[in-house]
Amino acid sequence: MVHGTHEPRFAPLRDLFAAHLADGTDVGASIAVVHDGAVVADLWGGEARPGVAWERDTIVQVWSVTKTMAALAVLVLAEQGAIDVDAPVARYWPAFAAHGKDDVRVRQVLGHTSGVPGWTRPVSVADMLDLPLSEEWLAAEESWYEPGSAPAYQILNHGHLLDAIVRGATGRTLAQVLRTEITGPLGADFLLGVPMEQQHRCADLIKPPPISPDSPQLALPPDHFLFRTLLNPNLSPRLCNGAQWRAGEVGAAGGHGGALGVALAQAPVSHGGAFDTPSGRVRLLGEELLGRLFEVQASGTDLVLDVPLTFGIGYGLPTSQAPAVGSGRVLWWTGWGGSVVVNDLDRRATIAYTPNRLVEHLVSSPRTDAVLSTAFACLDA
């Protein structure tokens, strides 16, 4: 049931994946590990859709792992001098200065402490897919809380905030920058906006089981930031399996890729800012900016997810809420339902996991933890 290649030391990872496919923990998925300049595990298996096998080129929506791609696109522009992460957002997006938001910094948006984690007005999926319109509405928002004072995860609007900054700085969209500066040069099969002619490659998302009755989220008040953001609009797996959504460029959640595509796009982060491809070395980040990604922008109980989190510039940093990502110089993030990417700069390794069966998972869950723990054990073997 498992296809692909791996170095011998990664046999336990393949065995775990095979067991997950056999017992239904996974329906279809891919796992990839890049270490010290080489792809050391590239595994896939199961079903993309009922009766349709998961192939090497199958892609799936990775939800908030997309945020790492959106952030990397902005950081590449920062390395090139087109964006200053310490500058006010309003330098590139003047409308954002409304209602006293003129001092919010680009790095604060990258670190989920912009003060604007969502839309106050009701937003439809069609509105969300209309990036200029929904970004205009974000610019007109009053701050929900004091920017910089706490993390408030930009669960659905993160990509909109970054897209508006990128468009103001360069005249290009976030998706265009991602394609031309990152995924294209690296040969990484990751798409923010899946063309109609490629949508046959998409695996269908499988909705998670009902939330546990003892889930702490159910005890939150109805006006909590989680409900104000997550449900405005409500993105169901069924909706996200549709062609219109897949073709959209929602940089908070709508990216599609397999584990290898995710890992190759992120590998420069774990390899000192550059990665060697068959066509030559691709450098995305310099040493100075790469080091700055660990600067804490916000730490404490996240006002949206209601768990303790620490964000650097563009990535999550190690947290007790997700112990399997490890410690040290780690830049990572995860997607609703279980997808994940971890960049471990000390090991010079990137690990990615992209499943289509969703489970109850905001920051961590046993299935994803097992994949990461096993992959790290294999790396250290």
Side-chain angles (χ1 to χ4, degrees), residues 270-318:
S270 64
H271 285 67
F275 194 74
D276 291 327
T277 76
S279 301
R281 169 160 289 203
V282 176
R283 175 161 292 281
L284 299 185
L285 304 175
E287 183 178 345
E288 180 180 356
L289 183 57
L290 187 62
R292 290 202 62 189
L293 305 191
F294 294 95
E295 293 179 7
V296 174
Q297 301 303 300
S299 187
T301 299
D302 188 272
L303 300 180
V304 171
L305 298 183
D306 200 48
V307 295
L309 293 173
T310 300
F311 290 107
I313 298 181
Y315 292 84
L317 301 182

Side-chain angles (χ1 to χ4, degrees), residues 172-191:
R172 294 184 286 168
T173 66
L174 180 70
Q176 288 170 335
V177 172
L178 177 63
R179 183 171 60 252
T180 59
E181 306 294 337
I182 301 174
T183 59
L186 288 165
D189 187 10
F190 185 91
L191 299 172

Side-chain angles (χ1 to χ4, degrees), residues 59 106 131 158 165 188 194 199 264 280 282 292 309 311 329:
I59 55 177
V106 173
L131 299 184
H158 189 66
I165 293 169
V194 183
Q199 292 200 7
L264 288 175
V282 176
R292 290 202 62 189
L309 293 173
F311 290 107
R329 295 193 303 154

Side-chain angles (χ1 to χ4, degrees), residues 63 334-340 353-355 357-359 361 365 367-368:
W63 297 91
T334 189
W336 180 54
S339 59
V340 72
Y353 167 57
T354 59
R357 178 179 179 266
L358 307 178
V359 300
H361 174 114
S365 58
R367 179 184 62 172
T368 299

Side-chain angles (χ1 to χ4, degrees), residues 42-323:
D42 175 21
L43 305 172
W44 66 89
E47 287 190 332
R49 296 180 297 282
V52 177
W54 190 295
E55 304 288 354
R56 189 176 193 271
D57 69 345
T58 296
I59 55 177
V60 67
Q61 180 170 311
V62 296
W63 297 91
S64 289
V65 169
T66 312
K67 292 179 173 69
T68 67
M69 303 297 183
L72 186 56
V74 175
L75 293 167
V76 168
L77 292 176
E79 182 65 35
Q80 294 173 356
I83 290 176
D84 180 353
V85 297
D86 294 313
V89 172
R91 176 184 297 181
Y92 310 105
W93 186 13
F96 190 79
H99 302 295
K101 301 195 304 298
D102 52 291
D103 198 43
V104 176
R105 306 289 159 155
V106 173
R107 58 179 169 76
Q108 291 178 311
V109 175
L110 287 164
H112 297 274
T113 182
S114 70
V116 184
W119 292 271
T120 299
R121 66 187 298 159
V123 176
S124 69
V125 173
D127 294 334
M128 193 181 187
L129 291 171
D130 185 339
L131 299 184
L133 175 66
S134 45
E135 289 165 11
E136 177 185 332
W137 292 345
L138 285 174
E141 285 280 338
E142 296 184 18
S143 295
W144 292 26
Y145 70 103
E146 182 183 352
S149 63
Y153 185 49
Q154 294 149 192
I155 193 166
L156 295 182
N157 71 327
H158 189 66
H160 290 74
L161 294 169
L162 296 179
D163 179 70
I165 293 169
V166 167
R167 192 136 18 113
T170 69
R172 294 184 286 168
T173 66
L174 180 70
Q176 288 170 335
V177 172
L178 177 63
R179 183 171 60 252
T180 59
E181 306 294 337
I182 301 174
T183 59
L186 288 165
D189 187 10
F190 185 91
L191 299 172
L192 182 54
V194 183
M196 292 296 179
E197 65 271 17
Q198 293 196 47
Q199 292 200 7
H200 66 280
R201 299 200 290 132
C202 294
D204 282 350
L205 299 168
I206 301 169
K207 68 179 182 180
I211 193 168
S212 303
D214 58 352
S215 173
Q217 282 77 37
L218 295 180
L220 298 173
D223 62 347
H224 192 274
F225 281 9
L226 177 64
F227 303 122
R228 290 177 60 187
T229 56
L230 182 62
L231 302 179
N232 187 32
N234 184 19
L235 300 180
S236 68
R238 180 178 180 182
L239 181 149
C240 293
N241 288 337
Q244 183 181 17
W245 172 262
R246 285 173 171 166
E249 298 179 353
V250 176
H256 285 70
L260 182 61
V262 171
L264 288 175
Q266 290 291 321
V269 178
S270 64
H271 285 67
F275 194 74
D276 291 327
T277 76
S279 301
R281 169 160 289 203
V282 176
R283 175 161 292 281
L284 299 185
L285 304 175
E287 183 178 345
E288 180 180 356
L289 183 57
L290 187 62
R292 290 202 62 189
L293 305 191
F294 294 95
E295 293 179 7
V296 174
Q297 301 303 300
S299 187
T301 299
D302 188 272
L303 300 180
V304 171
L305 298 183
D306 200 48
V307 295
L309 293 173
T310 300
F311 290 107
I313 298 181
Y315 292 84
L317 301 182
T319 172
S320 61
Q321 296 300 304

